[in-house]
Structure formats: C-alpha cells, structure tokens
C-alpha cells in the first residue's frame, strides 16, 4: 500500500496508507462516534461534502449490503479509519466495504492515529481537510490545496441531495394520513417509519411551492435532515412560515429542526465540532427522561432554554436539551401543531429511544385536523 496523507487547513498532517479509491478529495473534517452503522453513515445525504473520521478503530467487519443503504449512493467526501477489517463476517453481508468504496470512487485513508485526530478536531473545531492518496505533492502544496476549498459555513447544499421529482412511499396497511415530506437530504428509513404507521408519504423536492404541497391535501408536513448551513435556506424558511399560516401540523428533524427554528424567528450558529454518532444523551425537559439518540449536525439553534418564548405563531418552548453541552435539541409551539428535534428518531443507525416521536406526529395530526384547527 502506498502512502497517503490527511491534511488539515491549520497545517497539521497525518501520514497513513492508501485505502479505498486513490486520488484526492476535500471536505469538512468531522468525527463520528458510532461503533456500528457505518453503512448508514456513508449513505446519509447529511454527510455530503464531509470527510468522516470514524472514532471506532475497527471498521468494515460486517461488510455492506443493499438493505441498509439510506440513499442511492455514498455521500461522504472521504472516509478515515484506523484499522479496516481484512475479513467480512456477517450473514447479511453482500460485499466488502473497501470494494464498495472503490466502486463509488470514495477516497479513503487508513492507519492514522484517529484518536489524536479526533482530539485535535475536538479542541480546534471542525475544519477543511484533504486526503491525498497517490499524489506527488509537497506538504506545503497539499496545505495550499486544502485552503483553496470552501468552508461549510455558508454552504447551500439541499439542491445537491434533494429528489428532483416527487415520489410516494405508500402506507403499510390501512392509509390513515397523507404527509408531504420536504426532502432536504432525507434518509430512507424516515418515510418507512411513517409508512409503518399508516402514512402515505409524498417525498417532495426541497424547492417545492406551497401550492404543490397543498395540492396533495396533506394532513401534515415533515421537514427532513440534510447537509449545509441553515442560514442559507431563506426560501425554505419562508415556505415553512406559509405552512404554519395554513395551520398544517409540522414535524422536523435535524436540518428540518433548524429550519423550523429559523421560521419561528431564531438564529442558528455553527458548533465547534458538532454532534455525530449514535450515543448522544438528550433530556426531555418535560419528563426528565434521558434518551440516547443518533445525531449528525454541525449547526444549532439559539433559543431560550428556560420558560416559554413568544413568536408570531404563538407561544413555544424548548423541549429537549443535549446533556453534553446544553445545545437545544427540541422545540414546540404550544398553540399549533408544530414540533422538531435535532436528532434522528428513525434510528438508522442508532438506538430506538426516540421512535415515539413518529407516534407523537400521528397524535398531532389527529389533534389538529386542518378542518378543525382554531387559533
């Protein structure tokens, strides 16, 4: 195996060995703390333009299969592991991980000290990075190439990952509701979770209009996860405000949570290194219950965490907080059917502590049928 280099924009360089596809790639360096679920991570559109560092040292032992993909392709810009498995041993495995990365031309690197890299990103913050595998450049030239690339702040990426045409996931069993899911980078497990609850899900492009949404007479609107900077999403924020005025129940997760927060008048900000993994503790302020949850976000909402707040759509409150750093992890309107969480209740991959949130969305659509809503 030839040498490969991981180069950060602050000048630090890690030397490792070539793995997956050779070449060069650039993105934002982030670390992911999950010990399992690497296939779901790779195919999550929220990781578009990010170079993912796996903190678990041993990756690849279960191979890959066609069932666990969260989208039609691998979205990560690059993949960093300490010790990739040389053997695949799982009854569901259909292919070797490295072979899949090569087939999709994903540049990777192995053999670096991922613990040291993670500590560096935790202390200095997520930053631009490049992987150079089989490249004949000096260390100074590699740093210059990394610094030429754009940062995640200000990135408008929904158009890259969203569906171009609306498609429908039919309800399983009796159809009870119709939901318009705005695709900001949706994962496949999310509409499946709704379909299992009798919801017919219309997955719609990120730039859908209010008229297009209203044309399907939705009982609710779902705002999906996705990549990029929420401060750039003014058109979608305006759309969500129009939906709120139509008094249609709304459920948002991850990027959708940030969009709803902006629609309510709050600002967003970039976290130092973000939350990415399937072991993040969150407390429900209303019950005191602690949930272990799956996260993938680098931005968060600035909102008051004590008491209630006022918006043009009525009073609201922060419902969930991250126990590691106090980040706002959930909010709701008190007088209308709208709520959101920063994490991923579909558990792909991840724990199932938050699966009840889909049931809460169902309850919300029952409580606020559009024909009977009153302010």
């Amino acid at each position: 195996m030839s040498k490969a280099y991981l180069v950060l924009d602050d000048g630090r360089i890690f030397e490792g060995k070539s793995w997956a596809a050779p070449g060069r790639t650039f993105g934002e360096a982030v670390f992911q703390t999950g010990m399992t679920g690497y296939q779901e991570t790779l195919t999550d559109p929220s990781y578009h333009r990010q170079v993912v560092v796996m903190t678990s040292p041993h990756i690849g032992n279960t191979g890959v299969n066609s069932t666990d993909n969260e989208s039609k392709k691998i979205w990560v810009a690059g993949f960093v592991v300490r010790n990739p498995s040389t053997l695949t041993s799982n009854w569901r495995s259909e292919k070797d991980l490295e072979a899949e990365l090569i087939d999709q031309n994903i540049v990777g690197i192995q053999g670096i000290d991922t613990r040291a890299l993670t500590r560096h990103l935790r202390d200095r913050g997520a930053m631009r990075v490049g992987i150079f595998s089989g490249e004949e450049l000096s260390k100074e030239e590699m740093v210059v190439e990394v610094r030429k690339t754009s940062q995640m702040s200000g990135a408008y990426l929904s158009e890259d990952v969203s569906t171009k045409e609306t498609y429908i996931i039919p309800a399983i069993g009796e159809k009870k509701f119709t939901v318009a899911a705005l695709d900001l980078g949706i994962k496949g497990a999310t509409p499946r979770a709704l379909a299992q609850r009798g919801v017919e899900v219309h997955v719609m492009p990120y730039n859908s209009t209010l008229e297009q949404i209203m044309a399907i007479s939705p009982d609710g609107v779902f705002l999906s996860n996705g990549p990029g900077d929420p401060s750039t999403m003014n058109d979608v924020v305006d759309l969500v405000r129009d939906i709120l005025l139509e008094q249609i129940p709304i459920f948002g997760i991850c990027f959708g949570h940030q969009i709803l927060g902006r629609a309510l008048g709050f600002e967003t900000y970039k976290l130092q290194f973000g939350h990415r993994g399937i072991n993040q503790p969150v407390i429900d302020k209303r019950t005191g219950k602690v949930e272990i949850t799956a996260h993938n976000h680098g931005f968060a909402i600035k909102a008051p965490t004590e008491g209630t707040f006022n918006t043009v759509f009525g009073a609201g409150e922060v419902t969930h907080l991250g126990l590691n750093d106090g980040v706002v992890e959930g909010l709701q309107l008190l007088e209308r059917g709208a709520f959101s969480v920063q994490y991923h209740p579909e558990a792909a991959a991840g724990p199932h502590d938050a699966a009840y949130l889909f049931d809460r969305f169902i309850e919300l659509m029952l409580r606020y049928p559009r024909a009977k809503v009153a302010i």
Side-chain angles (χ1 to χ4, degrees):
M1 290 177 287
S2 61
K3 289 183 179 179
Y5 299 90
L6 183 143
V7 181
L8 297 169
D9 72 4
D10 67 354
R12 185 162 183 182
I13 297 175
F14 291 80
E15 180 179 322
K17 296 178 180 178
S18 178
W19 185 66
R24 68 172 69 177
T25 191
F26 303 96
E28 181 185 46
V30 299
F31 58 87
Q32 212 273 13
T33 59
M35 295 182 69
T36 61
Y38 58 79
Q39 184 174 341
E40 291 90 339
T41 293
L42 290 167
T43 55
D44 181 351
S46 297
Y47 282 108
H48 178 41
R49 261 185 51 185
Q50 293 181 327
V51 173
V52 176
V53 181
M54 299 300 293
T55 61
S56 181
H58 195 57
I59 298 295
N61 57 304
T62 57
V64 296
N65 61 65
S66 56
T67 303
D68 292 342
N69 288 334
E70 288 303 311
S71 65
K72 294 181 179 179
K73 59 176 282 187
I74 292 176
W75 282 101
V76 302
F79 204 43
V80 183
V81 298
R82 175 66 180 266
N83 182 28
S85 177
T86 57
L87 297 174
T88 296
S89 178
N90 186 274
W91 66 275
R92 299 173 68 243
S93 177
E94 299 170 6
K95 194 174 184 179
D96 175 75
L97 172 60
E98 185 179 21
E100 182 67 14
L101 293 166
I102 292 172
D103 285 349
Q104 297 200 38
N105 199 33
I106 304 300
V107 178
I109 185 172
Q110 66 157 306
I112 70 169
D113 188 342
T114 51
R115 180 179 174 85
L117 174 56
T118 298
R119 289 173 63 91
H120 188 79
L121 295 175
R122 188 191 64 187
D123 295 340
R124 302 290 183 89
M127 64 184 77
R128 293 171 294 179
V129 65
I131 298 175
F132 299 84
S133 176
E135 298 276 331
E136 295 183 2
L137 294 174
S138 69
K139 293 182 178 180
E140 292 77 12
E141 288 172 327
M142 289 188 290
V143 173
V144 169
E145 290 299 310
V146 171
R147 290 175 178 171
K148 288 179 181 178
T149 62
S150 58
Q151 301 190 46
M152 189 59 70
S153 293
Y156 185 82
L157 302 179
S158 291
E159 58 185 343
D160 295 344
V161 300
S162 182
T163 182
K164 306 304 179 187
E165 302 288 340
T166 297
Y167 61 92
I168 298 174
I169 305 298
I172 297 173
E174 179 187 357
K175 175 186 170 182
K176 301 175 182 177
F177 301 98
T178 299
V179 164
L182 203 62
D183 181 7
L184 307 170
I186 198 167
K187 297 167 70 174
T190 306
R192 289 198 301 269
L194 289 169
Q196 290 169 357
R197 291 164 170 82
V199 177
E200 179 181 276
V201 184
H202 294 241
V203 182
M204 307 181 71
Y206 79 101
N207 56 355
S208 296
T209 65
L210 179 64
E211 291 72 22
Q212 290 170 326
I213 291 173
M214 297 299 291
I216 69 169
S217 299
D219 298 294
V221 173
F222 176 79
L223 308 175
S224 83
N225 60 292
D229 185 342
S231 70
T232 66
M233 303 298 293
N234 294 332
D235 289 347
V236 178
V237 169
D238 288 341
L239 172 64
V240 172
R241 288 173 177 154
D242 289 339
I243 294 170
L244 286 167
L245 290 173
E246 292 289 339
Q247 304 180 45
I248 305 172
I250 292 176
F251 175 28
I253 70 168
C254 197
F255 200 53
H257 163 73
Q258 297 159 15
I259 297 298
L260 179 61
R262 284 202 57 207
L264 298 182
F266 299 116
E267 296 180 354
T268 55
Y269 65 99
K270 195 168 192 321
L271 295 167
Q272 181 176 355
F273 49 81
H275 303 164
R276 295 173 181 88
I278 57 176
N279 48 9
Q280 307 281 333
V282 168
I283 187 168
D284 186 332
K285 293 180 59 186
R286 300 159 301 173
T287 65
K289 179 182 178 182
V290 175
E291 304 167 9
I292 303 302
T293 58
H295 288 231
N296 174 17
H297 65 108
F299 295 84
I301 295 173
K302 291 181 181 179
T305 58
E306 298 296 332
T308 60
F309 52 75
N310 294 316
T311 77
V312 295
F313 305 103
E317 66 179 354
V318 169
T319 57
H320 296 76
L321 293 174
L323 287 178
N324 287 333
D325 53 10
V327 165
V328 173
E329 298 287 352
L331 54 81
Q332 68 175 353
L333 287 176
L334 299 177
E335 300 166 14
R336 300 195 187 201
F339 75 105
S340 62
V341 293
Q342 183 61 79
Y343 44 98
H344 289 252
E346 82 290 332
H352 296 266
D353 292 21
Y356 73 92
L357 292 169
F358 291 110
D359 298 318
R360 183 180 170 194
F361 188 33
I362 301 299
E363 293 168 2
L364 208 62
M365 289 187 286
L366 286 170
R367 181 181 176 188
Y368 293 101
R370 291 197 61 243
K372 300 179 181 179
V373 172
I375 299 299

